[in-house]
Amino acid sequence: MNLWRDIRGTIEPFWVTLRNMLRKPVTIQYPEEKRTPYPRYRARMVLTRDPGGEERCVACYLCSAACPVDCISMQAAEREDGRRYAAWFRINFSRCIFCGLCAEACPTLAIQMSPDYEICNRDPLKLVWEKEDLLIADGGKDKEYSFYAHAGIGVGQPRGAGAEESPVADIKSNLP
Amino acid sequence: MTPLLVTLVLILVKLALVFGVILTMAAYIVLAERKLLGRMQLRYGPNRVGPFGLMQPLADLIKMLTKEDVCPAHADKWLFMISPGLAAVTALLAFAVVPFGPPLTLFGQTVPMVVCDLNVGVLYFLGLSSLAVYGIALGGWASNSKYALLGAIRGLAQLISYELSMGLAVVPVILASRSFSLTDIVNAQASYPFAVTHPLAFLIFLVSVAAESKRIPFDIPEAENELVAGFHTEYSGMRFGLFFVGEYINMIILGSMTTVFFLGGWHGPLLPPVLWFLLKVMAVCFVFIWVRGTMPRLRYDQLMHFGWKFLVPVALVNVVITGAVMLWLKG
Ligand code: SF4
Ligand code: SF4
């Protein structure tokens, strides 16, 4: 009975390979045929804009700190009205491991992963992308979110003026 | 021109032809193998260079030739240099006795379709296939590396063991055709191939041939996962390429031998004889590739057990039975 099983186990695979040989290969021939990755696919990062069309990034360095391979660097700067932004922002994609920790760390949803995976280059220096290359004219995954609407610019925003905040109650008027 | 000169020129022309055909065939069998294995695994295999990837062998050749050729320190330089050649040449030499077709008549002269019709062709072939051991042994030994040496030793043991069953499997054929000449053996199969009358010998021969050409499931001399890369660990560039091509030349020669011994050589209806011969060799090569796509590698001890405890005794019994039956038929 074992011998029969062994013989069958020797013969059967031949039929499997022969059958597979006549089937159509599943290969995707890359440069000619491309797959559309899913929207949540994690390839290179982008810098997004808030609904008002302004840069979201506030140059808080959180992404840079979260990055395990230290490939993000930037210089913080401040506008007249006190709003922070990145004077320059640089990602070295030749080091990036596309782990997504930077996008995780970002409090303003500025840095996000995008499905654009075709960034290969023979020259590693061409893989260092500046802010101009990274910025897109879109809000990315959460188009409605605006950090400053919640936090206000600077510390001077009146209390209760942020989005989702209710106006400050006048406790005196609540007296019985 | 004297007849001697004519024969000499003819032999040279045939040599050149056989050489060219075999070498191109070996290169394209590599390609065919890659493609077929690819299809068995639901991928395409090489298809970038030229139409359908047909220029791939050329690209591989250029790559091999332009790679750095490293000779390890403390290696035996001379042996290290010549052993890949030995492996390829011993395989090539065996073609001298393979008959590709019935004698042709050209300009009123009969031209045998074999480089040299030895009357002890079988012995010549068996002797040469034993010589193939040298390429492996020296290759593994000369590179002064433990892994290469281990691979070589395992390869030697395997080749020698399966040589035995191969030789024994041929004996019934020789008994049946009453000749050591390959041409006579093919002629003896004019009505039906020996694979039909001696199926057991045919199977034993096929298995031994797979082992002789060091192919999966018998690729113990290479065994990448246990032995780095086997006996050619230290070889690079075209020297490795020679080992590699030698293996495929070996595959063609052993395929031709299977054709000659068991598949009726050039005999076949309709098509021209040489074409039949080629087709049969191709079919045997396809079976090898198919086996490679299907079977896992045997463990070393299982391989030796199978050779010595199963194939050799069965082949021996087969020889005795064949002899007895032939005596009985005659008497
Ligand atoms: S994806 Fe990971 S490695 Fe790449 S920049 Fe962001 S944190 Fe750094
Ligand atoms: S991208 Fe996000 S985390 Fe990085 S500096 Fe700008 S706001 Fe901070």
Side-chain angles (χ1 to χ4, degrees):
Chain A
M1 63 294 165
N2 257 348
L3 186 67
W4 169 240
R5 201 198 60 189
D6 291 350
I7 291 176
R8 229 189 51 185
T10 313
I11 306 286
E12 237 175 30
F14 283 95
W15 166 238
V16 174
T17 37
L18 195 67
R19 204 177 46 203
N20 277 341
M21 203 173 73
L22 303 174
R23 276 166 57 184
K24 197 177 148 30
V26 292
T27 316
I28 293 174
Q29 309 224 38
Y30 168 60
E32 292 96 40
E33 295 169 28
K34 281 176 194 162
R35 256 162 106 149
T36 328
Y38 292 101
R40 287 180 50 167
Y41 189 82
R42 291 197 330 226
R44 77 157 173 100
M45 280 76 65
V46 288
L47 285 176
T48 58
R49 293 174 186 274
D50 64 12
E54 299 220 59
E55 288 172 25
R56 268 180 173 158
C57 177
V58 295
C60 65
Y61 294 97
L62 281 180
C63 52
S64 171
C67 178
V69 293
D70 280 347
C71 62
I72 305 182
S73 50
M74 75 198 74
Q75 175 66 56
E78 207 165 293
R79 270 185 346 207
E80 260 95 78
D81 60 354
R83 178 172 175 160
R84 283 163 60 98
Y85 68 100
W88 50 263
F89 190 102
R90 190 174 291 150
I91 299 183
N92 184 351
F93 281 118
S94 64
R95 296 183 64 182
C96 177
I97 55 172
F98 304 101
C99 61
L101 288 182
C102 50
E104 233 22 86
C106 182
T108 65
L109 289 190
I111 193 163
Q112 291 181 11
M113 312 299 279
S114 79
D116 172 24
Y117 57 89
E118 290 180 308
I119 55 170
C120 300
N121 209 304
R122 281 180 187 276
D123 180 4
L125 283 182
K126 294 213 176 101
L127 285 170
V128 179
W129 285 35
E130 299 292 340
K131 191 164 96 175
E132 300 79 66
D133 313 318
L134 293 165
L135 256 181
I136 58 166
D138 191 79
K141 284 161 196 165
D142 192 344
K143 296 195 186 351
E144 297 312 315
Y145 181 71
S146 166
F147 174 71
Y148 279 107
H150 294 266
I153 296 171
V155 204
Q157 171 166 293
R159 292 176 64 205
E164 294 157 17
E165 269 186 295
S166 24
V168 181
D170 181 1
I171 43 169
K172 301 267 167 58
S173 70
N174 279 350
L175 282 175
Chain B
M1 273 204 282
T2 54
L4 189 70
L5 208 59
V6 175
T7 328
L8 200 69
V9 168
L10 267 177
I11 285 187
L12 281 181
V13 168
K14 277 189 287 189
L15 260 184
L17 257 176
V18 169
F19 228 66
V21 170
I22 301 296
L23 286 183
T24 10
M25 217 166 121
Y28 276 93
I29 282 187
V30 178
L31 179 70
E33 166 147 43
R34 290 172 66 184
K35 286 208 138 230
L36 283 173
L37 285 183
R39 295 305 295 255
M40 284 175 192
Q41 296 156 7
L42 295 185
R43 39 186 191 88
Y44 284 102
N47 63 352
R48 293 282 137 178
V49 198
F52 304 108
L54 281 180
M55 302 306 283
Q56 186 69 39
L58 199 68
D60 285 343
L61 183 74
I62 294 172
K63 189 181 103 183
M64 293 274 199
L65 284 176
T66 49
K67 270 193 167 178
E68 189 189 357
D69 189 5
V70 186
C71 180
H74 309 301
D76 192 325
K77 282 253 162 32
W78 265 99
L79 287 182
F80 188 79
M81 304 268 203
I82 59 168
S83 45
L86 257 179
V89 166
T90 45
L92 262 178
L93 277 179
F95 274 99
V97 290
V98 177
F100 304 103
L104 278 181
T105 314
L106 267 183
F107 310 117
Q109 209 169 21
T110 44
V111 182
M113 289 294 280
V114 44
V115 176
C116 176
D117 188 12
L118 277 185
N119 55 2
V120 286
V122 180
L123 293 186
Y124 175 81
F125 157 67
L126 288 178
L128 266 182
S129 71
S130 317
L131 266 185
V133 167
Y134 267 96
I136 295 181
L138 294 182
W141 185 68
S143 32
N144 192 28
S145 145
K146 294 186 214 39
Y147 292 106
L149 187 61
L150 274 176
I153 290 174
R154 282 164 48 142
L156 291 188
Q158 172 192 331
L159 289 196
I160 291 170
S161 323
Y162 281 84
E163 197 94 20
L164 221 61
S165 51
M166 184 167 84
L168 284 175
V170 179
V171 175
V173 171
I174 297 165
L175 286 179
S177 57
R178 288 161 210 284
S179 167
F180 273 106
S181 154
L182 297 184
T183 318
D184 291 349
I185 289 178
V186 173
N187 279 330
Q189 302 175 64
S191 38
Y192 44 81
F194 283 146
V196 179
T197 41
H198 304 274
L200 195 59
F202 175 55
L203 280 181
I204 296 170
F205 190 77
L206 212 59
V207 172
S208 321
V209 155
E212 276 296 293
S213 54
K214 309 187 276 298
R215 291 186 58 81
I216 286 174
F218 304 103
D219 63 339
I220 295 291
E222 292 177 27
E224 306 89 349
N225 37 12
E226 302 113 280
L227 277 178
V228 194
F231 66 102
H232 43 39
T233 305
E234 302 291 346
Y235 283 88
S236 52
M238 201 54 215
R239 251 176 257 290
F240 170 78
L242 266 179
F243 269 130
F244 193 72
V245 166
E247 195 176 307
Y248 283 86
I249 297 175
N250 216 350
M251 193 167 140
I252 301 176
I253 175 72
L254 292 170
S256 322
M257 284 304 167
T258 319
T259 310
V260 166
F261 287 145
F262 290 101
L263 299 179
W266 64 74
H267 292 296
L270 294 174
L271 297 174
V274 179
L275 205 61
W276 262 114
F277 187 84
L278 268 179
L279 275 179
K280 286 174 184 176
V281 174
M282 288 299 182
V284 178
C285 289
F286 171 74
V287 170
F288 284 168
I289 294 170
W290 189 13
V291 170
R292 178 170 182 183
T294 307
M295 307 280 276
R297 173 183 300 133
L298 256 65
R299 217 171 57 205
Y300 186 56
D301 59 328
Q302 288 171 339
L303 178 109
M304 292 314 249
H305 278 303
F306 185 64
W308 286 100
K309 293 192 182 164
F310 183 76
L311 276 189
V312 172
V314 169
L316 270 173
V317 169
N318 192 27
V319 169
V320 172
I321 292 179
T322 316
V325 168
M326 292 198 65
L327 270 181
W328 177 64
L329 279 182
K330 231 172 98 187

mmCIF file of all heavy atoms in Angstrom, chain A residues 10 13-15 17-18 20-27 29-32, chain B residues 36 38-45 47-48 286-287 290-291 293-295:
data_model
loop_
_atom_site.group_PDB
_atom_site.id
_atom_site.type_symbol
_atom_site.label_atom_id
_atom_site.label_comp_id
_atom_site.label_asym_id
_atom_site.label_seq_id
_atom_site.Cartn_x
_atom_site.Cartn_y
_atom_site.Cartn_z
ATOM 1 N N THR A 10 5.281 9.616 -7.292
ATOM 2 C CA THR A 10 6.358 9.904 -8.242
ATOM 3 C C THR A 10 5.796 10.282 -9.603
ATOM 4 O O THR A 10 6.333 11.143 -10.292
ATOM 5 C CB THR A 10 7.279 8.670 -8.394
ATOM 6 O OG1 THR A 10 7.585 8.201 -7.096
ATOM 7 C CG2 THR A 10 8.544 9.024 -9.123
ATOM 8 N N PRO A 13 3.315 14.162 -9.991
ATOM 9 C CA PRO A 13 3.901 15.480 -10.229
ATOM 10 C C PRO A 13 4.206 15.742 -11.696
ATOM 11 O O PRO A 13 4.123 16.888 -12.149
ATOM 12 C CB PRO A 13 5.183 15.446 -9.403
ATOM 13 C CG PRO A 13 4.946 14.439 -8.366
ATOM 14 C CD PRO A 13 4.030 13.427 -8.963
ATOM 15 N N PHE A 14 4.543 14.693 -12.439
ATOM 16 C CA PHE A 14 4.851 14.896 -13.861
ATOM 17 C C PHE A 14 3.633 15.439 -14.597
ATOM 18 O O PHE A 14 3.734 16.308 -15.460
ATOM 19 C CB PHE A 14 5.298 13.585 -14.494
ATOM 20 C CG PHE A 14 6.698 13.235 -14.148
ATOM 21 C CD1 PHE A 14 6.982 12.404 -13.095
ATOM 22 C CD2 PHE A 14 7.747 13.772 -14.871
ATOM 23 C CE1 PHE A 14 8.272 12.106 -12.761
ATOM 24 C CE2 PHE A 14 9.048 13.478 -14.539
ATOM 25 C CZ PHE A 14 9.308 12.638 -13.487
ATOM 26 N N TRP A 15 2.494 14.915 -14.223
ATOM 27 C CA TRP A 15 1.263 15.395 -14.838
ATOM 28 C C TRP A 15 1.023 16.857 -14.447
ATOM 29 O O TRP A 15 0.632 17.681 -15.289
ATOM 30 C CB TRP A 15 0.109 14.493 -14.396
ATOM 31 C CG TRP A 15 -1.242 15.037 -14.657
ATOM 32 C CD1 TRP A 15 -2.211 15.261 -13.742
ATOM 33 C CD2 TRP A 15 -1.786 15.424 -15.920
ATOM 34 N NE1 TRP A 15 -3.320 15.773 -14.352
ATOM 35 C CE2 TRP A 15 -3.090 15.885 -15.685
ATOM 36 C CE3 TRP A 15 -1.285 15.446 -17.222
ATOM 37 C CZ2 TRP A 15 -3.911 16.345 -16.703
ATOM 38 C CZ3 TRP A 15 -2.104 15.909 -18.230
ATOM 39 C CH2 TRP A 15 -3.398 16.350 -17.963
ATOM 40 N N THR A 17 3.268 19.200 -13.684
ATOM 41 C CA THR A 17 4.144 20.124 -14.406
ATOM 42 C C THR A 17 3.745 20.217 -15.871
ATOM 43 O O THR A 17 3.769 21.292 -16.454
ATOM 44 C CB THR A 17 5.618 19.698 -14.310
ATOM 45 O OG1 THR A 17 5.669 18.289 -14.356
ATOM 46 C CG2 THR A 17 6.224 20.181 -13.038
ATOM 47 N N LEU A 18 3.352 19.077 -16.442
ATOM 48 C CA LEU A 18 2.972 19.099 -17.854
ATOM 49 C C LEU A 18 1.739 19.977 -18.054
ATOM 50 O O LEU A 18 1.664 20.770 -18.993
ATOM 51 C CB LEU A 18 2.679 17.675 -18.327
ATOM 52 C CG LEU A 18 2.621 17.530 -19.843
ATOM 53 C CD1 LEU A 18 3.993 17.770 -20.416
ATOM 54 C CD2 LEU A 18 2.137 16.153 -20.234
ATOM 55 N N ASN A 20 0.755 22.444 -16.136
ATOM 56 C CA ASN A 20 1.103 23.849 -15.942
ATOM 57 C C ASN A 20 1.848 24.425 -17.127
ATOM 58 O O ASN A 20 1.761 25.612 -17.405
ATOM 59 C CB ASN A 20 1.972 24.007 -14.685
ATOM 60 C CG ASN A 20 1.121 24.067 -13.450
ATOM 61 O OD1 ASN A 20 -0.069 24.345 -13.537
ATOM 62 N ND2 ASN A 20 1.700 23.790 -12.314
ATOM 63 N N MET A 21 2.588 23.544 -17.814
ATOM 64 C CA MET A 21 3.356 24.030 -18.952
ATOM 65 C C MET A 21 2.429 24.557 -20.042
ATOM 66 O O MET A 21 2.799 25.436 -20.809
ATOM 67 C CB MET A 21 4.203 22.897 -19.500
ATOM 68 C CG MET A 21 5.380 23.363 -20.273
ATOM 69 S SD MET A 21 6.378 21.978 -20.685
ATOM 70 C CE MET A 21 5.402 21.215 -21.928
ATOM 71 N N LEU A 22 1.238 23.987 -20.124
ATOM 72 C CA LEU A 22 0.329 24.384 -21.191
ATOM 73 C C LEU A 22 -0.581 25.530 -20.769
ATOM 74 O O LEU A 22 -1.403 25.985 -21.548
ATOM 75 C CB LEU A 22 -0.510 23.173 -21.618
ATOM 76 C CG LEU A 22 0.359 21.997 -22.072
ATOM 77 C CD1 LEU A 22 -0.486 20.784 -22.340
ATOM 78 C CD2 LEU A 22 1.169 22.370 -23.309
ATOM 79 N N ARG A 23 -0.442 25.963 -19.529
ATOM 80 C CA ARG A 23 -1.269 27.090 -19.099
ATOM 81 C C ARG A 23 -0.583 28.410 -19.392
ATOM 82 O O ARG A 23 0.610 28.466 -19.635
ATOM 83 C CB ARG A 23 -1.542 26.982 -17.599
ATOM 84 C CG ARG A 23 -2.730 26.075 -17.323
ATOM 85 C CD ARG A 23 -2.798 25.692 -15.885
ATOM 86 N NE ARG A 23 -2.857 26.852 -15.004
ATOM 87 C CZ ARG A 23 -2.841 26.750 -13.674
ATOM 88 N NH1 ARG A 23 -2.761 25.575 -13.122
ATOM 89 N NH2 ARG A 23 -2.911 27.821 -12.932
ATOM 90 N N LYS A 24 -1.365 29.474 -19.370
ATOM 91 C CA LYS A 24 -0.791 30.784 -19.673
ATOM 92 C C LYS A 24 -0.020 31.287 -18.460
ATOM 93 O O LYS A 24 -0.526 31.220 -17.347
ATOM 94 C CB LYS A 24 -1.916 31.752 -19.998
ATOM 95 C CG LYS A 24 -1.442 32.998 -20.703
ATOM 96 C CD LYS A 24 -2.607 33.881 -21.071
ATOM 97 C CE LYS A 24 -2.279 35.343 -21.057
ATOM 98 N NZ LYS A 24 -0.918 35.712 -21.363
ATOM 99 N N PRO A 25 1.209 31.789 -18.675
ATOM 100 C CA PRO A 25 1.985 32.286 -17.544
ATOM 101 C C PRO A 25 1.284 33.470 -16.870
ATOM 102 O O PRO A 25 0.530 34.191 -17.503
ATOM 103 C CB PRO A 25 3.293 32.730 -18.182
ATOM 104 C CG PRO A 25 3.383 31.998 -19.444
ATOM 105 C CD PRO A 25 1.985 31.808 -19.916
ATOM 106 N N VAL A 26 1.536 33.603 -15.594
ATOM 107 C CA VAL A 26 0.899 34.689 -14.848
ATOM 108 C C VAL A 26 1.799 35.918 -14.770
ATOM 109 O O VAL A 26 1.450 36.907 -14.144
ATOM 110 C CB VAL A 26 0.563 34.237 -13.419
ATOM 111 C CG1 VAL A 26 -0.508 33.195 -13.435
ATOM 112 C CG2 VAL A 26 1.777 33.732 -12.706
ATOM 113 N N THR A 27 2.974 35.831 -15.408
ATOM 114 C CA THR A 27 3.940 36.917 -15.314
ATOM 115 C C THR A 27 3.355 38.225 -15.826
ATOM 116 O O THR A 27 2.668 38.241 -16.840
ATOM 117 C CB THR A 27 5.178 36.578 -16.159
ATOM 118 O OG1 THR A 27 5.526 35.245 -15.923
ATOM 119 C CG2 THR A 27 6.321 37.495 -15.831
ATOM 120 N N GLN A 29 4.646 41.476 -17.508
ATOM 121 C CA GLN A 29 5.898 41.889 -18.154
ATOM 122 C C GLN A 29 6.105 43.354 -17.896
ATOM 123 O O GLN A 29 5.626 44.193 -18.637
ATOM 124 C CB GLN A 29 5.820 41.591 -19.640
ATOM 125 C CG GLN A 29 5.385 40.171 -19.865
ATOM 126 C CD GLN A 29 6.203 39.522 -20.926
ATOM 127 O OE1 GLN A 29 7.408 39.752 -21.019
ATOM 128 N NE2 GLN A 29 5.573 38.727 -21.741
ATOM 129 N N TYR A 30 6.905 43.667 -16.883
ATOM 130 C CA TYR A 30 6.852 44.970 -16.265
ATOM 131 C C TYR A 30 6.931 46.204 -17.159
ATOM 132 O O TYR A 30 5.946 46.927 -17.225
ATOM 133 C CB TYR A 30 7.842 45.065 -15.117
ATOM 134 C CG TYR A 30 8.017 46.467 -14.649
ATOM 135 C CD1 TYR A 30 6.918 47.170 -14.173
ATOM 136 C CD2 TYR A 30 9.231 47.109 -14.738
ATOM 137 C CE1 TYR A 30 7.040 48.470 -13.772
ATOM 138 C CE2 TYR A 30 9.351 48.412 -14.336
ATOM 139 C CZ TYR A 30 8.255 49.098 -13.851
ATOM 140 O OH TYR A 30 8.370 50.381 -13.484
ATOM 141 N N PRO A 31 7.987 46.458 -17.868
ATOM 142 C CA PRO A 31 7.988 47.800 -18.480
ATOM 143 C C PRO A 31 6.821 48.000 -19.431
ATOM 144 O O PRO A 31 6.341 49.117 -19.575
ATOM 145 C CB PRO A 31 9.323 47.847 -19.225
ATOM 146 C CG PRO A 31 10.119 46.742 -18.682
ATOM 147 C CD PRO A 31 9.159 45.698 -18.243
ATOM 148 N N GLU A 32 6.340 46.919 -20.071
ATOM 149 C CA GLU A 32 5.223 47.075 -21.003
ATOM 150 C C GLU A 32 3.881 47.026 -20.276
ATOM 151 O O GLU A 32 3.001 47.828 -20.545
ATOM 152 C CB GLU A 32 5.256 45.988 -22.065
ATOM 153 C CG GLU A 32 6.418 46.101 -23.034
ATOM 154 C CD GLU A 32 7.571 45.224 -22.622
ATOM 155 O OE1 GLU A 32 7.326 44.100 -22.174
ATOM 156 O OE2 GLU A 32 8.738 45.664 -22.717
ATOM 157 N N LEU B 36 11.273 26.270 -20.849
ATOM 158 C CA LEU B 36 10.319 25.226 -20.449
ATOM 159 C C LEU B 36 10.113 25.224 -18.941
ATOM 160 O O LEU B 36 8.980 25.127 -18.467
ATOM 161 C CB LEU B 36 10.824 23.858 -20.909
ATOM 162 C CG LEU B 36 10.616 23.579 -22.394
ATOM 163 C CD1 LEU B 36 11.291 22.291 -22.782
ATOM 164 C CD2 LEU B 36 9.137 23.501 -22.709
ATOM 165 N N GLY B 38 10.437 27.687 -17.062
ATOM 166 C CA GLY B 38 9.620 28.866 -16.789
ATOM 167 C C GLY B 38 8.154 28.561 -16.994
ATOM 168 O O GLY B 38 7.322 28.850 -16.132
ATOM 169 N N ARG B 39 7.839 27.940 -18.122
ATOM 170 C CA ARG B 39 6.434 27.658 -18.404
ATOM 171 C C ARG B 39 5.842 26.708 -17.374
ATOM 172 O O ARG B 39 4.685 26.818 -16.998
ATOM 173 C CB ARG B 39 6.270 27.074 -19.807
ATOM 174 C CG ARG B 39 6.632 28.026 -20.904
ATOM 175 C CD ARG B 39 5.871 29.315 -20.795
ATOM 176 N NE ARG B 39 4.453 29.142 -20.980
ATOM 177 C CZ ARG B 39 3.784 29.482 -22.079
ATOM 178 N NH1 ARG B 39 4.411 30.030 -23.079
ATOM 179 N NH2 ARG B 39 2.497 29.285 -22.154
ATOM 180 N N MET B 40 6.693 25.758 -16.899
ATOM 181 C CA MET B 40 6.176 24.832 -15.893
ATOM 182 C C MET B 40 5.873 25.560 -14.597
ATOM 183 O O MET B 40 5.078 25.106 -13.793
ATOM 184 C CB MET B 40 7.196 23.725 -15.635
ATOM 185 C CG MET B 40 7.218 22.708 -16.754
ATOM 186 S SD MET B 40 8.506 21.519 -16.506
ATOM 187 C CE MET B 40 8.502 20.736 -18.100
ATOM 188 N N GLN B 41 6.545 26.692 -14.384
ATOM 189 C CA GLN B 41 6.291 27.463 -13.171
ATOM 190 C C GLN B 41 5.438 28.679 -13.468
ATOM 191 O O GLN B 41 5.471 29.667 -12.735
ATOM 192 C CB GLN B 41 7.624 27.896 -12.550
ATOM 193 C CG GLN B 41 8.450 26.716 -12.102
ATOM 194 C CD GLN B 41 9.917 27.046 -12.039
ATOM 195 O OE1 GLN B 41 10.322 28.197 -12.208
ATOM 196 N NE2 GLN B 41 10.732 26.044 -11.796
ATOM 197 N N LEU B 42 4.733 28.647 -14.573
ATOM 198 C CA LEU B 42 3.807 29.711 -14.972
ATOM 199 C C LEU B 42 4.492 31.054 -15.186
ATOM 200 O O LEU B 42 3.928 32.098 -14.916
ATOM 201 C CB LEU B 42 2.678 29.875 -13.937
ATOM 202 C CG LEU B 42 1.756 28.677 -13.801
ATOM 203 C CD1 LEU B 42 0.625 29.005 -12.849
ATOM 204 C CD2 LEU B 42 1.183 28.277 -15.132
ATOM 205 N N ARG B 43 5.744 31.036 -15.626
ATOM 206 C CA ARG B 43 6.354 32.289 -16.059
ATOM 207 C C ARG B 43 6.875 32.106 -17.479
ATOM 208 O O ARG B 43 6.767 31.023 -18.040
ATOM 209 C CB ARG B 43 7.453 32.748 -15.100
ATOM 210 C CG ARG B 43 8.284 31.639 -14.580
ATOM 211 C CD ARG B 43 9.262 32.083 -13.546
ATOM 212 N NE ARG B 43 10.156 30.969 -13.353
ATOM 213 C CZ ARG B 43 11.235 30.777 -14.054
ATOM 214 N NH1 ARG B 43 11.608 31.671 -14.942
ATOM 215 N NH2 ARG B 43 11.974 29.710 -13.879
ATOM 216 N N TYR B 44 7.438 33.166 -18.064
ATOM 217 C CA TYR B 44 7.800 33.101 -19.472
ATOM 218 C C TYR B 44 9.209 32.569 -19.707
ATOM 219 O O TYR B 44 9.494 32.012 -20.741
ATOM 220 C CB TYR B 44 7.706 34.483 -20.110
ATOM 221 C CG TYR B 44 6.290 34.915 -20.380
ATOM 222 C CD1 TYR B 44 5.646 35.809 -19.564
ATOM 223 C CD2 TYR B 44 5.609 34.405 -21.476
ATOM 224 C CE1 TYR B 44 4.349 36.199 -19.808
ATOM 225 C CE2 TYR B 44 4.310 34.792 -21.728
ATOM 226 C CZ TYR B 44 3.682 35.693 -20.898
ATOM 227 O OH TYR B 44 2.409 36.054 -21.147
ATOM 228 N N GLY B 45 10.111 32.794 -18.772
ATOM 229 C CA GLY B 45 11.502 32.485 -19.049
ATOM 230 C C GLY B 45 12.095 33.607 -19.879
ATOM 231 O O GLY B 45 11.438 34.610 -20.115
ATOM 232 N N ASN B 47 12.853 36.167 -22.424
ATOM 233 C CA ASN B 47 12.193 36.588 -23.666
ATOM 234 C C ASN B 47 12.546 38.029 -24.019
ATOM 235 O O ASN B 47 11.799 38.702 -24.704
ATOM 236 C CB ASN B 47 10.678 36.439 -23.544
ATOM 237 C CG ASN B 47 10.097 37.335 -22.479
ATOM 238 O OD1 ASN B 47 10.832 37.965 -21.730
ATOM 239 N ND2 ASN B 47 8.787 37.409 -22.408
ATOM 240 N N ARG B 48 13.674 38.515 -23.536
ATOM 241 C CA ARG B 48 14.019 39.917 -23.773
ATOM 242 C C ARG B 48 14.968 40.091 -24.943
ATOM 243 O O ARG B 48 14.871 41.051 -25.673
ATOM 244 C CB ARG B 48 14.664 40.508 -22.510
ATOM 245 C CG ARG B 48 13.708 40.608 -21.373
ATOM 246 C CD ARG B 48 12.809 41.790 -21.547
ATOM 247 N NE ARG B 48 11.456 41.406 -21.209
ATOM 248 C CZ ARG B 48 10.430 42.226 -21.220
ATOM 249 N NH1 ARG B 48 10.594 43.488 -21.554
ATOM 250 N NH2 ARG B 48 9.235 41.807 -20.934
ATOM 251 N N PHE B 286 13.925 16.726 -23.706
ATOM 252 C CA PHE B 286 12.716 17.280 -23.108
ATOM 253 C C PHE B 286 12.354 16.506 -21.846
ATOM 254 O O PHE B 286 11.993 17.099 -20.829
ATOM 255 C CB PHE B 286 11.552 17.253 -24.087
ATOM 256 C CG PHE B 286 10.246 17.625 -23.439
ATOM 257 C CD1 PHE B 286 9.989 18.938 -23.118
ATOM 258 C CD2 PHE B 286 9.319 16.660 -23.104
ATOM 259 C CE1 PHE B 286 8.815 19.294 -22.490
ATOM 260 C CE2 PHE B 286 8.138 16.998 -22.469
ATOM 261 C CZ PHE B 286 7.883 18.328 -22.165
ATOM 262 N N VAL B 287 12.485 15.178 -21.923
ATOM 263 C CA VAL B 287 12.169 14.384 -20.729
ATOM 264 C C VAL B 287 13.068 14.787 -19.573
ATOM 265 O O VAL B 287 12.616 14.943 -18.441
ATOM 266 C CB VAL B 287 12.304 12.880 -21.041
ATOM 267 C CG1 VAL B 287 12.215 12.067 -19.769
ATOM 268 C CG2 VAL B 287 11.219 12.456 -22.007
ATOM 269 N N TRP B 290 11.868 18.016 -18.239
ATOM 270 C CA TRP B 290 10.604 17.780 -17.557
ATOM 271 C C TRP B 290 10.861 17.215 -16.154
ATOM 272 O O TRP B 290 10.284 17.659 -15.163
ATOM 273 C CB TRP B 290 9.804 16.812 -18.415
ATOM 274 C CG TRP B 290 8.396 16.604 -18.011
ATOM 275 C CD1 TRP B 290 7.674 17.351 -17.118
ATOM 276 C CD2 TRP B 290 7.530 15.582 -18.490
ATOM 277 N NE1 TRP B 290 6.406 16.848 -17.030
ATOM 278 C CE2 TRP B 290 6.301 15.764 -17.848
ATOM 279 C CE3 TRP B 290 7.692 14.534 -19.392
ATOM 280 C CZ2 TRP B 290 5.222 14.929 -18.094
ATOM 281 C CZ3 TRP B 290 6.622 13.708 -19.639
ATOM 282 C CH2 TRP B 290 5.386 13.903 -18.988
ATOM 283 N N VAL B 291 11.773 16.239 -16.097
ATOM 284 C CA VAL B 291 12.115 15.654 -14.803
ATOM 285 C C VAL B 291 12.670 16.736 -13.890
ATOM 286 O O VAL B 291 12.327 16.818 -12.718
ATOM 287 C CB VAL B 291 13.134 14.521 -14.978
ATOM 288 C CG1 VAL B 291 13.658 14.078 -13.639
ATOM 289 C CG2 VAL B 291 12.512 13.348 -15.709
ATOM 290 N N GLY B 293 11.999 19.831 -13.900
ATOM 291 C CA GLY B 293 10.936 20.702 -13.428
ATOM 292 C C GLY B 293 10.056 20.033 -12.397
ATOM 293 O O GLY B 293 9.271 20.702 -11.734
ATOM 294 N N THR B 294 10.167 18.721 -12.262
ATOM 295 C CA THR B 294 9.208 18.000 -11.428
ATOM 296 C C THR B 294 9.793 17.457 -10.138
ATOM 297 O O THR B 294 9.197 17.601 -9.087
ATOM 298 C CB THR B 294 8.630 16.810 -12.228
ATOM 299 O OG1 THR B 294 8.133 17.303 -13.457
ATOM 300 C CG2 THR B 294 7.515 16.161 -11.463
ATOM 301 N N MET B 295 10.972 16.830 -10.239
ATOM 302 C CA MET B 295 11.457 16.062 -9.092
ATOM 303 C C MET B 295 12.317 16.899 -8.170
ATOM 304 O O MET B 295 13.058 17.769 -8.621
ATOM 305 C CB MET B 295 12.314 14.892 -9.594
ATOM 306 C CG MET B 295 11.638 14.045 -10.610
ATOM 307 S SD MET B 295 10.530 12.895 -9.850
ATOM 308 C CE MET B 295 11.646 11.598 -9.447
#
